Amino acid sequence: MRTLSAVLLIGLALVSCRKFSSDSLPRAMREQDRFSRYAQEAGQARQDTLTPVPDVYATALVFPDSVLWRKGDTRRPRLVLFRNGQPVGGISLGDRPDPERHRFQAGHVWTDSTDGHHTFIACDGTRLFQYEGEERLLGFWTDAGIVHTLGQRPGGGVCYRQNGQERFSSPVGVALGTPQDPDWEGGALTRDSSGVYYTIGLPLEADGNLLWEHRVMREGETIKMLPAVSGGHLFDVRVHGGVVYRLELRYGRYCLVRDEQLFPLDFPREPHNLKLVEVDGAIWVKGYDYPGREPRYFIQGADTTRYYYDPPSFPMYNLFVQRGTMHFVLLDHEDCVISVRRGAEELAAFPLETYRLQTPRCIGLKKGLFALALTHDDGTDHLILAGEKQYPVHFNGYFTGIYIE
């Protein structure tokens, strides 16, 4: 009964949760149309009326014009939401905003904060609930009136909650995954029709060595134990379609494991930053290597099918694959974007040292649309790129994420 009451209360709160209003924006931001007239006209001319075009949302931290945020001054910020290049509203934040503590999901902007003693969860600026203890949310998912969170505690310990109510906790656990992962909307959380999943690591000491045992969880229930193994390393675990996938190094051999079915992986060069990703309904492996001086991302399947761009004359910034087509970005040597590509097609090119991807969440591929939120390297004229459309926007601050709905 207590769980049902909590769900009903959160559901009612979501209904009453005030949507962002443009009235809450400064006048200059309410007049953004003068910066994006060309992009809107071009978008209307190119729109395919037979295919629904997804909306592109972007979040940004906006500061007063006098604030020099690039020099570390972050006073009086506002979290502003853009929809297809137009600001639709904003809320005030504290003077030390953290891009990892807000996200757009299910039509709302969600923020979390802490005073060191409690953690607070808000929707569109309206506080929904709070709970004791400081937690950093590595996973967040909301569905059917339930807000799922996976919080990491300072110094160790992890807690999974529903609407702020503890469903599982470990005083020493460490969650796998990050909140800024552009490949997984829920960060460290994934879901299917059976529930919400996550994985935690538990430290063990054996013969003076520190090993890690892992538990794969469905909400508050352990569904699989992964024993600690000497001579190996676990890179990632994800549940997809009710099946547990994991990526391991076993005695010098890389393996993708589907339940207990093992697929050896052969990489032409030493891989880095390996992780699991979903590609067209299947789980693949993403990482990068160094065929030369510059890093090159790749995505590889269990059948050794491999996507990559070669040779990379400039550093690559991430790689996505959908419907058999690669989408990726090339950077200049100051880590600014110079080329945005969809397969062999260049969607956009920029002069050196023009735009940056300020956070990992500022790039994404969903529903066939490749989108980026680009922050100007030293000015206030920023850009949202959605496929072939460009939406110029003007403000003092930087983008923190892009979301395709």
Side-chain angles (χ1 to χ4, degrees):
M1 180 63 70
R2 182 179 178 184
T3 301
L4 178 59
S5 299
V7 171
L8 290 175
L9 286 173
I10 295 296
L12 290 173
L14 290 177
V15 172
S16 61
C17 195
R18 64 178 180 85
K19 297 292 287 183
F20 273 21
S21 169
S22 61
D23 293 338
S24 64
L25 294 170
R27 179 181 177 183
M29 295 204 69
R30 295 198 300 268
E31 297 175 350
Q32 286 286 333
D33 58 324
R34 61 192 176 100
F35 298 104
S36 57
R37 185 178 300 117
Y38 168 77
Q40 294 235 340
E41 291 174 353
Q44 291 172 0
R46 301 179 65 91
Q47 184 173 358
D48 182 358
T49 58
L50 299 179
T51 304
V53 178
D55 289 319
V56 175
Y57 294 86
T59 51
L61 290 175
V62 178
F63 303 92
D65 290 343
S66 60
V67 170
L68 302 178
W69 62 270
R70 290 183 177 89
K71 296 186 179 298
D73 185 356
T74 57
R75 293 170 298 157
R76 292 177 290 159
R78 293 186 65 79
L79 173 59
V80 174
L81 178 68
F82 293 84
R83 177 177 177 269
N84 300 330
Q86 294 297 308
V88 294
I91 57 174
S92 296
L93 298 177
D95 285 344
R96 300 174 65 183
D98 186 342
E100 290 191 358
R101 288 194 175 274
H102 60 258
R103 63 214 49 88
F104 180 82
Q105 196 177 106
H108 298 276
V109 171
W110 302 85
T111 55
D112 62 274
S113 60
T114 180
D115 60 5
H117 304 285
H118 297 82
T119 300
F120 309 95
I121 308 295
C123 170
D124 294 338
T126 300
R127 184 177 296 177
L128 293 186
F129 53 83
Q130 68 183 61
Y131 49 85
E132 290 187 5
E134 179 181 354
E135 293 181 4
R136 188 172 195 87
L137 302 189
L138 301 187
F140 183 94
W141 200 277
T142 178
D143 183 52
I146 300 178
V147 177
H148 305 262
T149 60
L150 184 63
Q152 189 74 53
R153 293 166 174 162
V158 65
C159 186
Y160 165 74
R161 299 175 183 271
Q162 294 181 357
N163 297 339
Q165 300 297 313
E166 183 178 308
R167 293 292 178 259
F168 172 84
S169 67
S170 166
V172 295
V174 176
L176 267 66
T178 68
Q180 288 279 305
D181 193 336
D183 291 294
W184 298 99
E185 185 177 356
L189 294 177
T190 57
R191 67 162 185 174
D192 62 17
S193 59
S194 299
V196 172
Y197 299 89
Y198 55 97
T199 300
I200 62 169
L202 301 171
L204 300 175
E205 187 172 341
D207 300 326
N209 296 319
L210 180 64
L211 303 176
W212 288 86
E213 175 185 88
H214 289 83
R215 291 187 186 184
V216 185
M217 308 291 299
R218 180 174 58 217
E219 300 179 2
E221 169 194 8
T222 301
I223 63 169
K224 194 176 188 69
M225 291 288 297
L226 303 176
V229 179
S230 60
H233 180 76
L234 180 69
F235 294 98
D236 200 5
V237 179
R238 292 286 176 173
V239 179
H240 182 72
V243 178
V244 178
Y245 292 81
R246 62 188 192 269
L247 178 60
E248 298 182 350
L249 178 66
R250 292 189 178 188
Y251 301 102
R253 191 70 183 269
Y254 295 96
C255 305
L256 174 63
V257 185
R258 184 184 188 273
D259 276 341
E260 295 306 318
Q261 185 179 8
L262 187 147
F263 300 91
L265 298 169
D266 291 318
F267 300 118
R269 298 170 185 85
E270 183 68 21
H272 300 267
N273 199 32
L274 290 175
K275 57 177 287 191
L276 298 174
V277 296
E278 190 272 331
V279 176
D280 295 335
I283 294 296
W284 291 46
V285 176
K286 178 190 283 191
Y288 64 85
D289 58 17
Y290 284 89
R293 296 181 59 185
E294 307 301 344
R296 175 187 64 179
Y297 275 85
F298 64 83
I299 293 179
Q300 183 167 316
D303 62 353
T304 71
T305 299
R306 203 167 197 256
Y307 291 93
Y308 61 92
Y309 173 72
D310 200 24
S313 54
F314 289 93
M316 292 183 68
Y317 185 95
N318 222 323
L319 172 67
F320 303 86
V321 173
Q322 194 171 90
R323 302 169 189 170
T325 300
M326 294 189 299
H327 301 72
F328 60 96
V329 167
L330 297 179
L331 306 178
D332 64 21
H333 293 288
E334 296 297 326
D335 294 329
C336 291
V337 175
I338 58 170
S339 180
V340 180
R341 296 175 178 257
R342 179 175 59 202
E345 179 186 7
E346 187 172 65
L347 296 176
F350 306 105
L352 299 177
E353 300 181 39
T354 302
Y355 295 113
R356 291 184 179 275
L357 291 161
Q358 200 73 21
T359 76
R361 278 282 192 185
C362 286
I363 183 172
L365 174 64
K366 187 177 179 181
K367 299 181 179 180
L369 186 64
F370 193 36
L372 300 88
L374 300 171
T375 298
H376 200 279
D377 187 41
D378 60 8
T380 57
D381 294 323
H382 312 299
L383 185 69
I384 296 173
L385 184 68
E388 299 175 355
K389 298 179 183 179
Q390 296 186 12
Y391 301 102
V393 291
H394 180 84
F395 60 88
N396 181 41
Y398 62 93
F399 286 117
T400 59
I402 198 158
Y403 306 87
I404 303 166
E405 295 280 318

